[in-house]
C-alpha cells in the first residue's frame, strides 16, 4: 500500500512545486514559447499552505450575519424516499456486507499469495479503506447498513433476545474506541497487513470475534454506537457528507452542515476526533526520511522497534491533544468569555473532522484510482486472477488535486469553526476572536501535513 | 487542566442551550442573562446575547438596548474589517514578494 502512496507522493511534490510556481511562470510562458519550470523550495510550498488557511479565515471573518450563517448550516432538503424502498435497500446492503466479508476471508486464506492479486488485500485496502471510506464523507454514512459484524451480531440477538448480558460501564465512554483506533493504525503500520493475505485474514478474524462477542455481551447499539472504533470513524466522516439519515428519511445538507450543530458530549469524543486526525498524520509521517533517522537513533539506544512505533503513536496523539487543549484555553481569553475551556475544547472538536476527511481523500483517491483495474480483475476472477495485474498511471496534474483536497478540507474546517463560534458567542466580534487559537492550530496542522505530503517516500525502518 | 474557578454550569436550569461556564474566584460577572442566567464579562456581550438567544421573549426595553449595542458593535466591526482587508493585502503582497524573490534567485 505504501509503495503506491509513495509514487503518488513523489508526483505530488513535483506538481506542487510546478503549480505553485504557476503564477510567475505563466507570464514567461505567455511571452516566449519555451520556459523551464523552476522548483519552488518546499518550505515555500508549505508556507503557502499555511497562508491559504490564514487567508480563508480572514475571508470568512467578513461573514458575520448570525441569521445567514445559521441559514447556511441548517439548510436541508428532504429527499423523497419511501420507507419500503429504504428497508429493502438496507436488508440488501446487510447481506451484501456479510457476503463480501465472507468472500474476503475465504479468498484471503485460499487465494493467491501475491498481495496485488489477492481479493482480501486489494478489497480491504483499495476497495474498503480507500474507496468505501471516501463515500462516507462524500456521499453519506452507509456503514450502519452494510457493517457485516452488526448483521452477524443482530442474528444472535434474534436467537437470544435483545437483552445485553452486561451493562457497559459509562465511565469508559468513548475511550476504548480512541485506544482501538490508535491500536489499529499501529498494527497497520508495523505488521505486513498490506502484503500478506493470511495475516490480514487473521486480523480480520480476531476483530470479528472481539466485535461480535462485544456486541452480544454489551448490546448491538452500545457496541457499535460507543465502543467500535471503525463505526465511530465512519459516523464522524458521515457528518461531513451531504446526505444525512434522519428519523424520517434522508436529508440533503451542505457539506459539513451536520457538523455545525449538536452539543459537545465530552473529552472522550473530542479525544477520538483528535485521534482520527493524528492517525491520518501518523500514517504519512512514518514514511518520511526524518522519521527513519529518528527511529534508527532511538532503536540504537536499545529499544525494540515495535515499542518505538507504539510509543510514538501514543505520544503523537498526546501531543496533538495537548496542543488542541491549549488552543481551547487560549480561546477562552481571546473571546473574553466565562465559558469553560473544557466546553470550548469539546465545542470546537467537530471542526477538525473535515481536515481528517480532506487528508484521507488526498492520500487515498490516487491510491484507489490507480488500483481500481486490479480491484476489478480480482473481483471478477478471485481465485485465478490474471497473471499481470494492471494499475492505472495517474496523470501528473493529479498531485495538484491532492493538495487541493488537503486545503479544501481545511477551508471547510475553518467554516465549521466559524459557524460553531457564532452559535456559541454573542455578537459578531467575540465569535471571530474566539476562533484565533483554533485557526492557528489549523495552520499548524496544514503546515505539518503539507510537509509530510511533500517528503520523498522512505521505507519505515525495521518493518 | 487547571481552571481557577467555580464551575456553576450544573446549576443552570436549561443546560441544553447554555454552555458550561466558570467564573474566576477574584471576579464577579458584570452581567447575567435574565433568562438563562449565563454570566458575561461585559454588559455589551450580555445585551448582544439577549438578541441572539432570546429574541422571541424579550421586553421592548431590552430590544432598544440590543439595537443600540448592535450599532456600537457595527462601528468596531467596520474598523476590524478594515484591519482584515489590510492583513489580507499584506499576506498577498508578502507571498507574491516571496515567490518573486525565490524564483528570481533561481532563474
Amino acid at each position: 500500500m505504501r509503495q503506491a502512496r509513495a509514487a503518488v507522493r513523489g508526483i505530488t511534490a513535483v506538481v506542487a512545486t510546478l503549480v505553485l510556481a504557476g503564477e510567475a511562470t505563466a507570464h514567461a510562458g505567455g511571452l516566449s514559447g519555451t520556459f523551464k519550470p523552476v522548483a519552488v523550495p518546499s518550505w515555500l510550498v508549505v508556507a503557502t499552505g499555511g497562508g491559504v488557511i490564514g487567508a480563508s479565515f480572514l475571508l470568512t471573518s467578513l461573514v458575520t450575519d448570525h441569521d445567514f450563517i445559521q441559514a447556511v448550516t441548517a439548510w436541508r432538503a428532504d429527499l423523497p424516499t419511501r420507507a419500503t424502498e429504504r428497508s429493502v435497500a438496507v436488508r440488501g446492503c446487510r447481506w451484501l456486507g456479510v457476503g463480501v466479508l465472507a468472500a474476503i476471508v475465504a479468498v484471503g486464506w485460499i487465494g493467491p499469495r501475491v498481495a496485488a492479486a489477492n481479493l482480501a488485500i486489494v478489497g480491504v485496502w483499495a476497495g474498503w479503506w480507500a474507496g468505501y471510506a471516501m463515500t462516507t464523507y462524500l456521499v453519506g454514512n452507509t456503514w450502519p447498513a452494510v457493517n457485516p459484524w452488526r448483521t452477524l451480531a443482530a442474528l444472535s440477538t434474534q436467537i437470544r433476545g435483545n437483552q445485553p448480558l452486561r451493562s457497559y460501564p459509562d465511565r469508559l465512554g468513548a475511550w476504548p474506541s480512541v485506544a482501538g483506533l490508535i491500536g489499529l493504525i499501529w498494527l497497520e503500520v508495523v505488521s505486513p497487513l498490506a502484503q500478506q493475505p493470511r495475516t490480514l485474514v487473521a486480523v480480520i478474524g480476531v476483530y470479528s470475534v472481539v466485535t461480535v462477542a462485544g456486541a452480544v455481551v454489551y448490546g448491538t447499539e452500545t457496541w457499535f454506537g460507543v465502543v467500535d472504533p471503525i463505526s465511530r470513524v465512519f459516523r464522524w466522516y458521515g457528518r461531513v457528507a451531504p446526505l444525512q439519515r434522519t428519523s424520517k428519511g434522508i436529508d440533503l445538507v451542505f457539506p459539513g452542515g451536520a457538523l455545525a450543530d449538536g452539543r459537545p458530549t465530552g473529552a472522550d469524543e473530542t479525544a477520538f476526533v483528535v485521534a482520527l486526525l493524528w492517525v491520518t498524520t501518523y500514517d504519512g509521517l512514518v514514511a518520511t526520511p526524518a522519521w527513519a533517522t529518528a527511529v534508527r537513533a532511538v532503536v540504537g539506544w536499545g529499544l525494540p522497534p515495535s515499542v518505538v512505533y507504539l510509543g510514538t503513536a501514543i505520544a503523537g496523539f498526546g501531543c496533538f491533544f495537548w496542543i488542541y487543549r491549549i488552543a481551547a484555553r487560549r480561546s477562552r481569553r481571546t473571546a473574553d468569555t466565562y465559558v469553560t475551556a473544557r466546553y470550548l475544547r469539546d465545542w470546537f472538536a467537530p471542526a477538525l473532522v473535515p481536515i481528517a476527511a480532506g487528508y484521507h481523500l488526498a492520500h487515498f483517491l490516487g491510491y484507489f484510482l490507480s488500483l481500481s483495474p486490479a480491484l476489478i480483475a480480482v473481483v471478477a476472477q478471485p481465485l485465478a486472477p490474471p497473471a499481470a495485474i494492471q494499475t492505472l498511471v495517474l496523470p501528473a496534474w493529479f498531485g495538484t488535486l491532492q493538495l487541493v483536497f488537503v486545503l479544501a478540507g481545511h477551508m471547510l474546517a475553518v467554516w465549521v469553526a466559524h459557524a460553531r463560534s457564532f452559535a456559541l458567542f454573542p455578537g459578531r466580534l467575540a465569535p471571530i476572536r474566539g476562533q484565533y487559537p483554533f485557526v492557528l492550530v489549523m495552520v499548524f496542522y496544514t503546515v505539518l501535513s503539507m510537509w509530510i505530503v511533500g517528503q520523498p517516500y522512505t521505507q519505515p525502518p525495521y518493518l | 487542566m487547571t481552571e481557577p474557578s467555580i464551575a456553576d454550569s450544573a446549576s443552570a436550569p436549561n443546560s441544553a442551550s447554555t454552555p458550561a461556564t466558570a467564573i474566576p474566584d477574584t471576579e464577579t460577572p458584570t452581567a447575567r442573562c435574565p433568562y438563562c442566567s449565563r454570566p458575561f464579562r461585559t454588559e455589551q456581550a450580555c445585551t448582544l446575547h439577549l438578541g441572539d438567544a432570546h429574541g422571541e421573549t424579550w421586553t421592548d426595553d431590552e430590544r432598544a438596548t440590543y439595537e443600540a449595542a448592535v450599532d456600537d458593535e457595527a462601528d468596531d466591526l467596520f474598523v476590524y474589517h478594515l484591519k482584515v482587508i489590510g492583513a489580507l493585502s499584506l499576506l498577498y503582497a508578502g507571498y507574491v514578494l516571496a515567490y518573486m524573490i525565490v524564483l528570481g534567485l533561481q532563474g
Side-chain angles (χ1 to χ4, degrees), chain A residues 363-443:
Chain A
H363 280 301
F364 286 106
L365 182 62
Y367 178 70
F368 174 72
L369 290 178
S370 62
L371 283 181
S372 52
L375 185 63
I376 293 168
V378 295
V379 168
Q381 295 165 288
L383 291 175
I389 296 282
Q390 290 181 331
T391 52
L392 278 185
V393 178
L394 297 172
W397 49 261
F398 200 84
T400 322
L401 211 56
Q402 289 187 304
L403 286 183
V404 170
F405 292 148
V406 169
L407 289 178
H410 275 95
M411 285 174 184
L412 188 57
V414 166
W415 169 253
V416 172
H418 189 70
R420 288 191 77 88
S421 198
F422 269 78
L424 180 65
F425 297 123
R428 289 169 288 176
L429 272 170
I432 297 174
R433 292 193 172 129
Q435 291 172 61
Y436 289 165
F438 295 106
V439 170
L440 279 181
V441 167
M442 287 179 193
V443 169

Side-chain angles (χ1 to χ4, degrees), chain A residues 20-21 23-25 38-41 43-52 54-59 61-64 66 263 325 329 332 336-343 345 422-433 436, chain B residues 1-5 7 15-24 27-31 38-42 44-46 48-49 52 69-71 73-74 76-77 80-81 83-85 87-88 91-92 95-96 98-99 102-103 106-107:
Chain A
L20 290 169
E23 197 178 323
T25 47
V38 247
V40 175
W43 63 264
L44 191 52
V45 176
V46 165
T48 308
V52 169
S56 55
F57 163 69
L58 290 174
L59 286 170
S61 79
L62 298 173
V63 184
T64 55
H66 276 263
R263 275 176 65 79
R325 266 173 48 170
R329 245 179 285 174
R332 192 168 192 251
D336 197 23
T337 178
Y338 283 129
V339 178
T340 60
R342 276 167 212 218
Y343 193 88
R345 176 196 69 197
F422 269 78
L424 180 65
F425 297 123
R428 289 169 288 176
L429 272 170
I432 297 174
R433 292 193 172 129
Y436 289 165
Chain B
M1 183 153 36
T2 52
E3 255 159 22
S5 46
S15 58
S17 62
T18 316
T21 49
I23 302 151
E27 276 182 49
T28 38
T30 319
R38 176 173 161 184
F40 291 94
R41 292 184 83 102
T42 60
Q44 195 200 24
C46 183
L48 290 168
H49 159 79
D52 294 339
V70 168
D71 276 351
E73 202 193 26
D76 295 345
L77 195 67
Y80 184 85
H81 277 161
K83 288 181 194 163
V84 165
I85 302 291
L88 271 172
L91 199 65
Y92 179 73
Y95 276 104
V96 169
Y99 274 93
V102 166
L103 296 177
Q106 287 186 348

Side-chain angles (χ1 to χ4, degrees), chain A residues 59-450:
Chain A
L59 286 170
T60 47
S61 79
L62 298 173
V63 184
T64 55
D65 186 32
H66 276 263
D67 293 337
F68 174 76
I69 296 168
Q70 168 81 21
V72 170
T73 55
W75 182 86
R76 42 185 63 223
D78 282 348
L79 288 191
T81 49
R82 288 196 192 153
T84 47
E85 285 170 5
R86 286 202 303 271
S87 63
V88 167
V90 165
R91 203 160 296 172
C93 283
R94 274 189 192 144
W95 291 108
L96 183 73
V98 175
V100 170
L101 176 67
I104 280 175
V105 169
V107 177
W109 199 259
I110 60 171
R113 293 291 170 86
V114 183
N118 193 295
L119 176 69
I121 298 279
V122 183
V124 166
W125 295 116
W128 177 73
W129 186 235
Y132 174 77
M134 278 176 216
T135 67
T136 59
Y137 51 80
L138 293 178
V139 184
N141 180 18
T142 50
W143 188 242
V146 296
N147 183 352
W149 296 286
R150 186 185 266 268
T151 312
L152 293 176
L155 268 188
S156 82
T157 56
Q158 274 178 5
I159 299 163
R160 230 180 19 81
N162 212 359
Q163 206 59 18
L165 298 174
R166 280 180 186 206
S167 65
Y168 180 72
D170 281 338
R171 65 193 156 78
L172 287 182
W175 290 108
S177 65
V178 177
L181 182 65
I182 296 173
L184 280 176
I185 288 296
W186 169 74
L187 197 66
E188 188 256 317
V189 168
V190 299
S191 67
L193 283 187
Q195 285 90 42
Q196 296 173 8
R198 287 195 173 186
T199 315
L200 180 64
V201 168
V203 170
I204 293 176
V206 171
Y207 174 81
S208 304
V209 170
V210 170
T211 303
V212 174
V216 169
V217 171
Y218 293 112
T220 318
E221 292 310 315
T222 309
W223 187 265
F224 294 107
V226 181
V227 188
D228 183 41
I230 292 173
S231 299
R232 201 181 275 276
V233 168
F234 290 142
R235 195 162 57 243
W236 273 113
Y237 276 164
R239 284 179 71 184
V240 184
L243 294 186
Q244 296 292 323
R245 183 88 171 83
T246 63
S247 53
K248 283 186 221 150
I250 297 166
D251 274 0
L252 181 69
V253 300
F254 282 114
L259 288 167
D261 59 7
R263 275 176 65 79
T265 48
D268 49 348
E269 196 77 78
T270 306
F272 188 83
V273 172
V274 174
L276 183 58
L277 197 59
W278 160 244
V279 295
T280 331
T281 313
Y282 180 69
D283 205 25
L285 185 68
V286 296
T288 60
W291 171 270
T293 317
V295 167
R296 285 212 179 86
V298 176
V299 172
W301 301 337
L303 280 173
S306 59
V307 171
V308 174
Y309 277 86
L310 183 61
T312 45
I314 295 168
F317 161 70
C319 192
F320 265 39
F321 198 48
W322 178 69
I323 291 171
Y324 181 67
R325 266 173 48 170
I326 291 178
R329 245 179 285 174
R330 286 289 160 97
S331 170
R332 192 168 192 251
R333 243 174 279 161
T334 57
D336 197 23
T337 178
Y338 283 129
V339 178
T340 60
R342 276 167 212 218
Y343 193 88
L344 292 175
R345 176 196 69 197
D346 300 339
W347 181 262
F348 283 98
L352 300 176
V353 182
I355 302 180
Y359 290 158
H360 186 276
L361 193 59
H363 280 301
F364 286 106
L365 182 62
Y367 178 70
F368 174 72
L369 290 178
S370 62
L371 283 181
S372 52
L375 185 63
I376 293 168
V378 295
V379 168
Q381 295 165 288
L383 291 175
I389 296 282
Q390 290 181 331
T391 52
L392 278 185
V393 178
L394 297 172
W397 49 261
F398 200 84
T400 322
L401 211 56
Q402 289 187 304
L403 286 183
V404 170
F405 292 148
V406 169
L407 289 178
H410 275 95
M411 285 174 184
L412 188 57
V414 166
W415 169 253
V416 172
H418 189 70
R420 288 191 77 88
S421 198
F422 269 78
L424 180 65
F425 297 123
R428 289 169 288 176
L429 272 170
I432 297 174
R433 292 193 172 129
Q435 291 172 61
Y436 289 165
F438 295 106
V439 170
L440 279 181
V441 167
M442 287 179 193
V443 169
F444 158 73
Y445 288 154
T446 319
V447 166
L448 180 65
S449 62
M450 288 191 61

